[in-house]
Amino acid sequence: MRPSDRVDGARLLARLMDLARFGAREDGGVDRQALTAGEILARAELVRWGRELGLRPYTDAAANLFLRLDGAEPSLPPILTGSHIDSQPTGGKFDGAYGVIAALETVQAIRDAGLQPRRSIEVVAWTNEEGSRFSPGMTGSDLFTGTRQLTIIESDADAAGVRLGDALAGVLGADVDIPHRPFQFEVAAFVEAHIEQGPLLERAGIPVGVVTGIQGTRRYRVRVHGEPAHAGTADRAERKDALMAAVRMIAAIDTAASSPADTKLTVGLFEIKPNAPSVVPADALFSIDLRHPDNAVVDRLDTEIRKIVERERGPCTVELKQIQHSPSLTFDSAVRATIARCAQVLGFPHQDIHSAAGHDARQLHYVCPTGMIFVPCRDGISHNPAEWSEPDDLTAGTRVLADTVWTLASEA
Ligand SMILES: [Zn+2]
C-alpha cells in the first residue's frame, strides 16, 4: 500500500471549494488577502480539518500555521509540505490553496493507508506569500528562514495604515489553543505543490511538472521629482515634468529588456501627483519587476536600468530603490529525483519545468532540501477569478506529492 492509493480526488476538490468560500468573490474568484477576516476563517477551517485527522496545530510569531502528524521518531526534524492560503484581490481558488489542501490530503492518505512515517510530517500554510496587502510578500517563509526579521518589518503598514504587527496580533488572537513555536527549527525537507501559473504543462498535455528552480527577480521603485507648474503658462524649456521623464525612462528600460526575448519586464504601478489635467506633474512613482532565469541577464539589466534613470531624468531628480533581489535558484537534485521517480512509478507523464513565479519554496531552499510539484492550469491563467485546474490533474499532483512526502519521511 502506497499513500497515493488512498488519495481521494473528490475529497481534495471538495476541500478546495470549501476553502474558496472564505473571501469568495461574486465572479467565482477569491479575495482573501493576508491577515484579513477571510483568512482568519479559512485558517480556523484548516485547523478544524487538521484536528479531525488527529493532527496537532502550531503557529509562530508570523502566524505561519503548522498541522503536525507525529512520526515514529518524533525527535527527528520533520518533513514540511504546504504553500499559502492568502490570495491576490483578484485571485482564484487554486493559487496557494492547492498546495495546502494537497498537503492535508497527503497526510490523510498516509493515515488512511494505515502507515506511520519515520519522520513527523507537517502541513504548513505560510503567511502573506502574495504581498498584495503587505508588500513585499513571502513574509512567513522569510521570517521562518531568517531571511528577514520581525522587529524590522512589524511596523510596515498596509494601504489603510494598519501595521503588520497589529494584523499578525489580530490573527493570532483569533486562534483557539494553538501553541507557539520559535522560528527556524530544523526541517528535513520541504515540498510545495502548486498550479503552474503558466501554459507549458497544459500545452504539452503533461499532468506533473518537476520544478527545477525559480527564475531570478529584481523589483524596484523609481520616484521622479519635478515641479508643479501651470499647463498654460510654464515654458516647455523651464518645466520639470516628472511624468515625461518617467515615460522616457520606462520606454528606454522596455527597449533594454527586449533582449533576450524571454526577459520579463513589468511596470505595474504608476502614480503621478498632483494628477490634475492642467498641472505639470510634480511627482511620478513607478515600479519595475524584472525577471529572467539567467542571473547574468538580470545583473546586466540592473546596470542598464540604473544608467537609464540618470540619463533620462532631464531637469528632474530621481530616486531608484531596489526593494527585492532574488537570484535564480536550482532545487535540490535528490528531492527532484524523488518527485520524478514517484511520478514514474504512478505512470504519470512528467517533465522538468522552471518556475517563472516566486514561491515560499524559494525561502525554504536556503535552509533545507526543497522541491516543488506543478500541475497544469487552464490557459496558464492565475491571479484571476477564472483560474482553473482539472480535477484529474490536481489529483495526479497530489498522488505524486503523497508518495514523495512519504518517501522523504521514511528514508534515513
Ligand atoms: Zn502561490
Side-chain angles (χ1 to χ4, degrees):
M1 175 80 71
R2 283 178 309 211
S4 56
D5 297 334
R6 289 306 187 99
V7 166
D8 182 334
R11 181 171 60 199
L12 174 82
L13 193 66
R15 282 205 184 115
L16 269 168
M17 296 305 123
D18 260 2
L19 203 68
R21 290 180 293 134
F22 306 108
R25 292 165 50 97
E26 284 189 357
D27 56 10
V30 172
D31 175 3
R32 192 170 55 230
Q33 295 183 64
L35 309 175
T36 55
E39 198 188 42
I40 288 173
L41 292 171
R43 177 181 166 91
E45 187 76 338
L46 279 175
V47 170
R48 196 176 66 75
W49 285 332
R51 282 185 166 138
E52 276 175 13
L53 293 177
L55 310 183
R56 279 184 292 140
Y58 292 92
T59 191
D60 58 25
N64 293 316
L65 177 66
F66 305 88
L67 302 168
R68 178 178 170 101
L69 172 73
D70 271 333
E73 296 178 49
S75 60
L76 292 177
I79 306 294
L80 263 54
T81 177
S83 189
H84 59 96
I85 59 166
D86 66 313
S87 81
Q88 293 285 334
T90 57
K93 298 184 179 79
F94 302 91
D95 176 2
Y98 171 58
V100 176
I101 299 296
L104 192 68
E105 182 63 31
T106 288
V107 172
Q108 183 155 12
I110 289 170
R111 292 200 39 147
D112 288 358
L115 299 168
Q116 188 187 23
R118 177 164 169 259
R119 291 180 185 276
S120 302
I121 299 172
E122 299 192 0
V123 175
V124 56
W126 303 109
T127 296
N128 188 37
E129 191 272 351
E130 297 288 359
S132 58
R133 181 175 174 207
F134 294 99
S135 180
M138 314 285 176
T139 306
S141 49
D142 266 352
L143 295 175
F144 182 81
T145 56
T147 311
R148 283 190 284 165
Q149 305 300 321
L150 186 55
T151 46
I152 293 171
I153 63 170
E154 64 191 349
S155 52
D156 288 1
D158 68 6
V162 179
R163 292 168 68 253
L164 174 65
D166 294 334
L168 283 169
V171 172
L172 294 171
D175 285 343
V176 180
D177 296 334
I178 303 184
H180 283 224
R181 288 193 302 204
F183 293 132
Q184 293 180 52
F185 56 81
E186 200 181 335
V187 177
F190 175 64
V191 187
E192 178 169 6
H194 207 282
I195 59 168
E196 183 198 334
Q197 304 181 286
L200 302 179
L201 292 174
E202 185 188 45
R203 273 187 208 153
I206 288 183
V208 174
V210 182
V211 184
T212 52
I214 300 181
Q215 75 177 344
T217 306
R218 287 205 195 218
R219 293 197 173 106
Y220 311 80
R221 293 286 185 275
V222 183
R223 196 176 283 279
V224 187
H225 299 286
E227 213 170 75
H230 191 292
T233 59
D235 263 1
R236 196 178 165 85
E238 279 162 21
R239 291 184 183 195
K240 294 183 179 175
D241 188 327
L243 174 62
M244 293 302 182
V247 166
R248 287 193 302 271
M249 291 172 193
I250 293 168
I253 292 166
D254 186 39
T255 303
S258 63
S259 119
D262 56 344
T263 306
K264 303 286 197 324
L265 171 78
T266 304
V267 176
L269 177 146
F270 197 108
E271 290 170 4
I272 58 165
K273 286 181 188 159
N275 203 15
S278 299
V279 181
V280 173
D283 267 290
L285 170 73
F286 63 94
S287 61
I288 302 171
D289 181 308
L290 176 68
R291 308 184 196 207
H292 193 277
D294 182 349
N295 285 321
V297 170
V298 177
D299 290 347
R300 173 179 64 75
L301 284 166
D302 173 77
T303 308
E304 286 198 42
I305 286 170
R306 290 170 195 278
K307 280 188 198 152
I308 286 168
V309 298
E310 278 305 317
R311 193 182 73 214
E312 301 295 345
R313 67 182 171 81
C316 299
T317 59
V318 64
E319 287 168 56
L320 178 139
K321 198 164 129 195
Q322 180 178 293
I323 59 168
Q324 188 190 347
H325 177 201
S326 307
S328 289
L329 65 91
T330 304
F331 285 131
D332 182 83
S333 58
V335 176
R336 284 158 54 194
T338 303
I339 295 168
R341 198 167 58 244
C342 291
Q344 185 82 37
V345 169
L346 287 166
F348 292 127
H350 58 90
Q351 71 170 47
D352 283 353
I353 183 166
H354 204 73
S355 177
H359 297 285
D360 292 305
R362 166 186 288 285
Q363 276 59 31
L364 271 292
H365 110 285
Y366 293 122
V367 299
C368 66
T370 294
M372 287 190 79
I373 298 168
F374 274 177
V375 295
C377 60
R378 185 189 288 164
D379 299 327
I381 291 171
S382 185
H383 288 182
N384 184 313
E387 196 174 81
W388 180 255
S389 281
E390 292 304 326
D392 284 353
D393 293 336
L394 296 169
T395 305
T398 305
R399 292 188 70 198
V400 175
L401 178 70
D403 286 355
T404 300
V405 168
W406 168 253
T407 304
L408 294 172
S410 309
E411 283 173 349

